[in-house]
Amino acid sequence: MDSKALFTISYGLYVIGSKNGDQINGQVANTVFQITSEPLTVAISINKKNLTHEYIQASGGFTVSVLSKEAPLSLIGQFGFKSGRDIDKFDGVDYQLSPGGIPYLSRYALAYLEGKVIQTVDVGTHTIFIGRVDEAVQLLDGEPMTYAYYQQIKRGPTPQAAPVFNPAPAAEPQEKYQCSICGYVYNPAQGDPENGVAPGTSFSKLPDDWTCPVCGAGKDVFEKIE
């Protein structure tokens, strides 16, 4: 079976918000889709190991923030490569609470939905939460970030807990360096324009205080790709 055939399926990029009592959390997801229009329902796929999964089970609700193309890698890293068990993911992030008290992004999100869980489907490593949409608000004009745009233009890595995770093939030897924490690859030909690093800047010329644009790790955890 050729797993590359699955790469032709289109995905978006979203932040799923959740709560458990007074505690809030969120995570990046790429599997969100509308199921019906009457009633309006959507489904999300969440890894059972994630804190967001625990919170959705506890509260029975969730929000979906639809990321725009302008969303920085650092934001995706905050919600996709760090655990809410270790940090407050919404610390320093612009967000508001839905009518149900669940957080959603108020910056870099084109729209948000609030869903009430009406059914769950166990699919092994993940649970599919099917939610009735109780709120839907457009926040900004713009284009949504697709998963392909995130990988090809933003050059972002995939969390291992993601439904579509697939180990990346070894990169060609071009003095590239890979973050041992999240898998982000620094390519000198592309640089890191979002953080002021021009294309053509070699890894050795990066500022000492430069950090991985996805997970925030320092240069010392990067390894040269042979």
Side-chain angles (χ1 to χ4, degrees):
M1 180 170 59
D2 185 2
S3 61
K4 291 182 180 179
L6 298 174
F7 297 169
T8 63
I9 299 175
S10 297
Y11 299 90
L13 213 60
Y14 315 91
V15 168
I16 306 299
S18 59
K19 72 171 185 175
N20 185 2
D22 295 332
Q23 302 297 311
I24 61 174
N25 192 53
Q27 69 161 76
V28 166
N30 52 33
T31 307
V32 176
F33 54 96
Q34 181 178 344
I35 299 177
T36 61
S37 55
E38 286 293 337
L40 182 57
T41 59
V42 296
I44 61 176
S45 179
I46 304 295
N47 191 290
K48 292 178 180 178
K49 295 180 180 180
N50 292 355
L51 185 63
T52 300
H53 185 279
E54 177 184 321
Y55 280 19
I56 294 175
Q57 284 188 318
S59 66
F62 60 86
T63 58
V64 177
S65 297
V66 182
L67 293 180
S68 73
K69 283 185 174 181
E70 286 69 38
L73 278 176
S74 58
L75 179 70
I76 298 170
Q78 176 89 345
F79 286 95
F81 291 90
K82 298 179 181 180
S83 173
R85 296 183 176 91
D86 302 323
I87 67 166
D88 176 1
K89 290 193 179 182
F90 284 93
D91 183 30
V93 175
D94 293 328
Y95 74 94
Q96 295 185 25
L97 299 179
S98 69
I102 305 174
Y104 66 90
L105 300 185
S106 56
R107 187 181 183 191
Y108 298 121
L110 300 181
Y112 92 89
L113 313 174
E114 180 176 14
K116 177 68 175 179
V117 176
I118 58 174
Q119 186 176 347
T120 61
V121 181
D122 188 325
V123 288
T125 58
H126 290 64
T127 296
I128 297 175
F129 293 100
I130 300 173
R132 181 190 68 239
V133 177
D134 292 335
E135 185 72 274
V137 178
Q138 183 171 347
L139 303 171
L140 297 171
D141 292 327
E143 294 185 48
M145 185 183 299
T146 64
Y147 190 67
Y149 184 90
Y150 165 68
Q151 285 197 312
Q152 296 169 13
I153 306 301
K154 293 282 191 178
R155 310 187 316 281
T158 303
Q160 292 189 21
V164 299
F165 174 74
N166 191 59
E172 297 180 2
Q174 296 179 355
E175 299 292 327
K176 298 177 183 178
Y177 285 75
Q178 185 172 37
C179 177
S180 62
I181 304 299
C182 72
Y184 170 83
V185 174
Y186 176 77
N187 184 347
Q190 297 171 322
D192 181 17
E194 284 189 358
N195 293 294
V197 178
T201 304
S202 66
F203 187 81
S204 63
K205 297 296 184 182
L206 290 173
D208 291 339
D209 60 353
W210 181 85
T211 59
C212 175
V214 175
C215 70
K219 290 175 61 179
D220 58 316
V221 305
F222 276 74
E223 300 173 350
K224 183 178 178 180
I225 298 176
E226 300 294 344

